[in-house]
């Protein structure tokens, strides 16, 4: 055979294997791997949640033997989240919550549209793995007593007490009735008192309920918002955070921006004193974002999160008198989830220090502030849990979803614990390692992103190289997609995302899209986290001027200048706040963006400002309404031309379904091509795996129709 024929045959075989690989790369496959979350530990044991194709089960492991055990035997995707996993202090029980709270109609999420509706309830299951879970009662946020035989949990703003054994007997009882909504509760070290915060509108109070005489004592009652109370090791004092109470008409704003103070109160007298207050309006985010905003260590130190030095760090301050806090990890990086060693000497934490678009684990000696890095490389390591001398954590990579790994504190070698292996359907070998890129917005702000390029060798646009088939001339460049995360206080990373199925699936879908032949850029636009307080609280963001739209345009320019990208074929996609930026791009620049996929996006900030809380938790008052509308897609509908696929669950408790109903009706009236995929009884973060498959399948077909990257020769997918 002529040498050219050998070359042609080799080329074809190469292409064929790529097609095979390509064919193996399905949406179902890239979403098929188990995802580990909700990791927590006590003593020598850890427990966590595994979600595999929507089937949710609780697993446990003990150390140092790393012995694994599955504790629940759920076999179907019932669309009910499991959350709030908490081990009893003796490690014998796991308490957890099945289901989610009620919406304004008074119903819990019921995505299967089950005629018997759904509930949110507390369960316990033995860590022996030999018994079925036991339902304790309707409620959430279970908290164990020190001896591990009693649980307190919340329901309807009141607290309930259950005695736990193989039978829930007697039935749980309401601990007491108090005005307001009780939260942030915990048992005293002696198990005889319950500390709680009572939220009462403009203010909140710290109370202690004495189980022996059913009496409530209040601590340092004032006109402020007292929250996150914690016991001193001897149970004689309580520390809490104090934020100024509300003024008439003052609206919550999730961007943060409230001064806050650390207080200590004496349990016996109820008298309190301020230990420290923030120099500026540094509070808000540092309180609601971390799981444990305030701690009292056995070494008698108070540890608290703050951004007052420009980055999210943990500070220590003595609880004895007013004094200056010490930043335990000074530097230009952020700290996320933490775990305190049992003796209180070390704080373990996840950080993006020296690796901005990843997460690694560190620990700091609370006494000396000496810190050391514990994990490194290309992993996404988060949620450290220390059991004995073993560090257990959630671990992901660019080609592996979040699993569980561990290392001994006496040996830096890391070991994967779960899963033992990835499913055959998971296309690990075909995944694309995203590249870290940066670009400058019009105002000079440097923005980070992750660039997913189609696998090397996959010819442009997925067709065989020009000339192999006489009738085909493969286009030189590819269509490209810009992805925007939600929040906006989020950050996409150089690997599988740790923040639940919502973002893990988004990363997986970007992998799939790259495999289909799209160039994909995940844009970490301003208002996100990871890059400091000033970046997160960027001026004029969202409803106050949509300043992050500069980052959308700069990202488009970055892609248009990329040699692999056809500058005329750019698409947008994103969920929630990312749906907002997708719709904003199509409204303002249908000249730039050929189409978009908008998952449950915000389309009218002035309307959202009155939707589910006064000001929409963005502080959008009467005076901001005009600016809020001008910052919304709805302000520029007359310019919207490009097709858009809208996807929304109609039981969305975060971004009202009405946002999509309103916008689609308006676009239809001006003959903009719109497609819709509505998921009846689904919520914001879709609860059913089949919902995600339907969403991404519809997205795949829509994009293939408007931004075609032909999968195989000659076929043009149907919409
Ligand atoms: C009040 C408010 O807007 N809170 C935000 C956390 C929020 O709800 N943002 C949504 C628009 C959103 O993006 N939700 C998900 C996707 C998220 O990551 O928070």
């Amino acid at each position: 055979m002529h040498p050219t024929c050998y070359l042609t045959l080799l080329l074809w075989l190469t292409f064929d294997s790529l097609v095979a690989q390509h064919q193996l790369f399905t949406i179902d496959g890239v979403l098929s791997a188990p995802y580990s979350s909700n990791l927590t530990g006590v003593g020598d044991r850890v427990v966590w949640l595994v979600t595999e194709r929507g089937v949710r089960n609780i697993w446990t492991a003990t150390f140092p033997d790393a012995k694994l055990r599955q504790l629940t035997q759920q076999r179907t995707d019932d669309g009910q989240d499991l959350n709030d996993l908490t081990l009893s202090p003796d490690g014998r029980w796991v308490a957890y919550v099945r289901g989610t709270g009620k919406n304004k109609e008074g119903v819990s999420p019921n995505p299967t549209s089950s005629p018997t509706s759904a509930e949110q309830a507390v369960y316990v299951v033995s860590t022996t793995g030999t018994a079925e879970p036991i339902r304790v009662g309707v409620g959430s946020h279970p908290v164990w007593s020190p001896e591990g035989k009693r649980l307190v949990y919340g329901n309807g703003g009141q607290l309930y007490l259950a005695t736990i054994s193989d039978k829930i007997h007697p039935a749980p009882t309401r601990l007491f009735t108090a005005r307001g909504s009780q939260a942030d509760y915990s048992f005293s070290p002696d198990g005889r008192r319950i500390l709680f915060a009572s939220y009462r509108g403009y203010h909140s109070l710290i109370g202690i309920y004495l189980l022996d005489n059913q009496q409530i004592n209040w601590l340092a009652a004032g006109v402020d918002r007292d929250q996150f109370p914690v016991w001193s090791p001897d149970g004689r004092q309580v520390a809490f955070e104090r934020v100024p109470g509300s003024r008439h008409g003052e609206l919550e704003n999730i961007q943060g921006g409230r001064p806050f103070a650390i207080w200590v109160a004496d349990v016996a007298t109820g008298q309190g004193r301020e230990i420290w207050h923030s120099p500026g309006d540094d509070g808000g985010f540092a309180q609601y974002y971390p799981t444990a905003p305030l701690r009292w260590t056995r070494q008698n130190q108070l540890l608290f999160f703050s951004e007052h030095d420009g980055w999210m760090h943990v500070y220590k301050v003595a609880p004895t008198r007013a004094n200056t806090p010490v930043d335990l990890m000074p530097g230009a990086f952020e700290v996320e989830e933490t775990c305190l060693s049992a003796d209180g000497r070390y704080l373990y934490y996840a950080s993006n220090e020296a690796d901005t678009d990843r997460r690694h684990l560190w620990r700091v000696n609370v006494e000396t502030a000496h810190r050391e890095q514990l994990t490194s490389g290309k992993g996404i390591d988060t949620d450290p849990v220390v059991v004995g001398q073993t560090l257990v954590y959630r671990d992901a990579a660019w080609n592996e979803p979040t699993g569980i790994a561990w290392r001994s504190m006496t040996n830096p070698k890391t070991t994967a614990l779960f899963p033992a292996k990835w499913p055959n359907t998971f296309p690990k070998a075909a995944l694309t390692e995203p590249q870290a890129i940066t670009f400058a917005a019009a105002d000079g702000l440097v923005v980070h992103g992750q660039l997913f390029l189609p696998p090397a060798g996959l010819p442009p646009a997925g067709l065989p190289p020009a000339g192999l088939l006489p009738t085909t001339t493969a286009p030189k460049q590819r269509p490209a997609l810009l992805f925007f995360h939600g929040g906006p206080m989020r950050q996409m990373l150089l690997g599988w995302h740790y923040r639940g199925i919502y973002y893990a699936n988004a990363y997986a879908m970007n992998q799939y899209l790259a495999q289909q032949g799209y160039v994909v850029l995940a844009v970490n636009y301003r208002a996100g986290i990871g890059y400091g307080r000033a970046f997160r609280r960027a001026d004029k963001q969202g409803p106050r001027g949509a300043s992050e739209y500069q980052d959308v345009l700069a990202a488009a320019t970055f892609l248009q200048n990329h040699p692999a990208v056809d500058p005329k074929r750019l698409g947008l996609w994103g969920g929630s706040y990312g749906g907002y930026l997708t719709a904003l791009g199509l409204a303002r620049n249908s000249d730039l963006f050929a189409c978009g996929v908008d998952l449950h996006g915000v389309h009218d900030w002035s309307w959202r400002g009155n939707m589910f809380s006064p000001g929409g938790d963005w502080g959008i008052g009467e005076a901001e309404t005009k600016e809020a509308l001008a910052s919304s897609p709805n302000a520029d509908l007359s310019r919207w031309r490009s097709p858009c696929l809208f996807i929304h669950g109609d039981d969305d408790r975060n971004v009202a379904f009405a946002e999509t109903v309103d916008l689609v009706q308006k676009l239809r009236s001006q003959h903009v091509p719109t497609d819709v995929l509505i998921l009846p009884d689904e919520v914001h973060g879709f609860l059913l795996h089949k919902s995600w498959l339907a969403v991404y399948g519809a997205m795949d077909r829509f994009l293939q129709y408007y931004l075609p990257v032909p999968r195989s020769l000659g076929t043009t997918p149907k919409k």
Side-chain angles (χ1 to χ4, degrees):
M1 188 167 25
H2 190 279
T4 315
C5 295
Y6 279 116
L7 176 63
T8 304
L9 184 62
L10 177 66
L11 268 174
W12 181 259
L13 289 173
T14 310
F15 172 66
D16 205 40
S17 73
L18 279 167
V19 169
Q21 206 180 84
H22 183 83
Q23 300 302 350
L24 284 177
F25 200 121
T26 63
I27 291 173
D28 178 67
V30 79
L31 298 186
S32 67
Y35 184 79
S36 295
S37 62
N38 301 76
L39 176 67
T40 183
V42 156
D44 65 350
R45 182 182 296 279
V46 297
V47 293
W48 70 97
L49 174 66
V50 176
T51 305
E52 187 164 2
R53 285 192 157 121
V55 181
R56 302 159 171 91
N57 276 297
I58 295 174
W59 283 69
T60 189
T62 49
F63 289 91
D65 56 352
K67 190 169 180 313
L68 273 174
R69 183 180 296 151
Q70 184 173 337
L71 296 182
T72 58
Q73 306 305 325
Q74 181 70 21
R75 289 183 173 71
T76 58
D77 176 4
D78 59 6
Q80 294 300 316
D81 252 349
L82 301 188
N83 247 314
D84 295 353
L85 274 63
T86 173
L87 270 163
S88 58
D90 58 10
R92 286 188 56 212
W93 296 96
V94 187
Y96 63 95
V97 173
R98 178 177 179 274
T100 312
K102 295 176 179 173
N103 61 10
K104 284 190 290 194
E105 298 161 55
V107 294
S108 280
N110 179 19
T112 59
S113 302
S114 158
T116 57
S117 82
E119 70 168 5
Q120 180 181 50
V122 174
Y123 286 76
V124 292
V125 64
S126 162
T127 53
T128 59
T130 56
E132 289 293 313
I134 305 168
R135 182 180 177 279
V136 176
V138 172
S140 63
H141 298 96
V143 169
W144 286 99
S145 60
E147 84 287 349
K149 291 184 170 30
R150 293 168 293 158
L151 263 186
V152 166
Y153 59 91
N155 180 25
Q158 300 299 334
L159 302 186
Y160 290 76
L161 178 69
T163 302
I164 303 300
S165 66
D166 295 342
K167 290 197 178 8
I168 306 303
H169 183 76
T173 55
R174 182 185 290 200
L175 259 179
F176 56 82
T177 298
R179 292 176 48 242
S181 179
Q182 323 320 319
D184 309 339
Y185 39 88
S186 60
F187 278 88
S188 56
D190 64 8
R192 296 172 57 200
R193 292 161 291 170
I194 307 287
L195 175 65
F196 64 98
S198 185
Y199 289 84
R200 301 185 168 187
Y202 279 29
H203 72 296
S204 57
L205 302 173
I206 303 298
I208 294 180
Y209 177 71
L210 289 77
L211 290 159
D212 299 343
N213 63 11
Q214 287 90 43
Q215 185 182 326
I216 293 177
N217 295 338
W218 300 105
L219 300 182
V223 291
D224 298 297
R225 290 174 186 276
D226 295 343
Q227 50 192 3
F228 313 120
V230 292
W231 291 99
S232 62
D234 63 8
R236 293 182 178 172
Q237 300 182 90
V238 164
F240 58 91
E241 297 206 0
R242 172 164 283 185
V243 174
S246 295
R247 300 171 189 181
H248 281 323
E250 190 174 353
L251 299 170
E252 278 301 307
N253 184 343
I254 60 159
Q255 280 184 282
R258 284 177 177 274
F260 72 101
I262 306 292
W263 274 62
V264 170
D266 182 89
V267 169
T269 65
Q271 296 303 306
R273 63 188 178 281
E274 180 180 287
I275 298 292
W276 176 80
H277 64 262
S278 62
D281 64 345
D282 307 292
F285 187 68
Q287 281 71 47
Y288 82 73
Y289 188 72
T291 303
L294 176 64
R295 285 190 173 97
W296 198 319
T297 76
R298 287 196 174 169
Q299 310 289 323
N300 209 31
Q301 290 287 336
L302 293 179
L303 305 183
F304 66 96
F305 275 88
S306 180
E307 291 183 298
H308 67 271
D309 286 327
W311 297 84
M312 182 71 95
H313 287 174
V314 176
Y315 294 77
K316 73 172 177 179
V317 70
T320 48
R321 66 207 179 298
N323 60 122
T324 304
V326 172
D327 184 349
L328 290 176
M329 57 291 284
F333 53 83
E334 315 260 43
V335 170
E336 279 192 328
E337 286 314 314
T338 61
C339 169
L340 192 61
S341 58
D343 61 9
R345 292 181 59 225
Y346 287 101
L347 183 73
Y348 293 76
Y349 61 92
S351 170
N352 66 344
E353 179 173 357
D355 200 351
T356 307
D357 294 331
R358 290 192 180 94
R359 295 288 185 275
H360 300 301
L361 301 183
W362 299 69
R363 79 172 181 177
V364 60
N365 181 310
V366 174
E367 189 54 43
T368 64
H370 169 72
R371 69 178 188 269
E372 56 185 306
Q373 187 166 356
L374 305 174
T375 64
S376 57
K378 290 190 174 182
I380 309 291
D381 309 323
T382 58
D383 299 305
V385 171
V386 178
V387 284
Q389 280 304 307
T390 306
L391 172 66
V392 190
Y393 55 96
R394 295 175 69 213
D395 171 51
W398 62 269
N399 58 354
E400 289 187 348
T402 307
I404 303 293
W406 64 278
R407 59 155 281 183
S408 158
M409 288 317 297
T410 55
N411 177 345
K413 174 178 166 296
T414 59
T415 306
L417 176 73
F418 185 92
K421 73 182 194 61
W422 301 103
N424 295 335
T425 51
F426 181 68
K428 180 170 177 180
L431 296 172
T432 308
E433 183 171 2
Q435 301 166 20
I437 60 99
T438 58
F439 52 84
D443 62 359
L445 186 68
V446 173
V447 177
H448 287 237
Q450 296 82 44
L451 186 67
F452 298 76
L453 293 173
L458 191 65
L463 284 174
L468 196 63
L469 288 170
T471 57
T472 308
T473 50
K476 294 283 177 291
Q477 296 170 314
R478 305 169 178 286
L481 297 167
L482 294 89
F483 168 75
F484 304 105
H485 60 71
M489 62 301 286
R490 312 286 180 244
Q491 179 191 14
M492 295 311 283
L493 304 172
L494 290 165
W496 240 272
H497 208 279
Y498 60 95
R499 190 181 171 83
I501 291 289
Y502 191 93
Y503 286 103
N505 285 356
Y507 177 87
M509 188 57 180
N510 283 333
Q511 284 283 355
Y512 172 81
L513 293 167
Q515 184 56 269
Q516 294 308 301
Y518 295 98
V519 173
V520 180
L521 176 61
V523 182
N524 284 345
Y525 55 91
R526 71 190 71 193
I529 61 169
Y531 310 100
R533 184 189 61 192
F535 188 90
R536 185 181 61 74
R537 291 183 62 187
D539 196 23
K540 297 189 178 308
Q541 64 179 261
R544 292 185 169 78
S547 57
E548 60 274 50
Y549 193 67
Q550 299 172 78
D551 308 339
V552 173
L553 295 177
T557 304
F558 174 90
L559 285 175
Q560 286 178 323
N561 294 332
H562 193 286
V565 171
D566 176 347
K568 295 200 178 321
R569 295 203 296 155
L570 299 189
L572 307 170
W573 85 278
S576 205
Y577 204 98
Y580 157 61
L581 292 177
T582 295
L584 197 62
L586 298 176
R588 293 184 175 183
N589 287 99
S590 276
D591 57 324
L592 260 182
F593 304 115
C595 68
V597 180
D598 170 350
L599 282 72
H600 38 241
V602 176
H603 304 133
D604 185 334
W605 282 110
S606 64
W607 185 73
R608 182 175 169 85
N610 303 299
M611 179 58 212
F612 61 97
S613 67
D617 283 358
W618 276 83
I620 305 168
E622 201 55 45
E624 284 88 12
T625 300
K626 191 159 174 273
E627 176 80 273
L629 176 57
S631 307
S632 305
N634 279 15
D636 291 295
L637 297 188
S638 60
R639 295 159 56 189
W640 189 318
R641 298 285 181 277
S642 297
C644 186
L645 167 61
F646 291 92
I647 298 173
H648 213 136
D650 83 338
D651 184 17
D652 194 319
R653 289 112 188 272
N654 185 311
V655 176
F657 182 65
E659 290 263 27
T660 293
V661 174
D662 164 76
L663 179 52
V664 170
Q665 301 305 338
K666 288 172 180 170
L667 291 175
R668 281 179 179 168
S669 67
Q670 57 185 58
H671 310 297
V672 172
T674 57
D675 272 0
V676 293
L677 171 64
I678 299 311
L679 301 149
D681 294 334
E682 265 288 12
V683 294
H684 199 61
F686 307 124
L687 289 165
L688 288 168
H689 183 66
K690 69 178 182 182
S691 297
W692 286 107
L693 295 177
V695 165
Y696 288 159
M699 185 172 150
D700 185 27
R701 290 187 295 278
F702 178 87
L703 291 172
Q704 286 285 1
Y705 188 84
Y706 286 104
L707 283 177
V709 181
R711 279 192 181 77
S712 55
L713 307 183
T715 57
T716 304
K718 301 283 175 286
K719 253 186 20 179

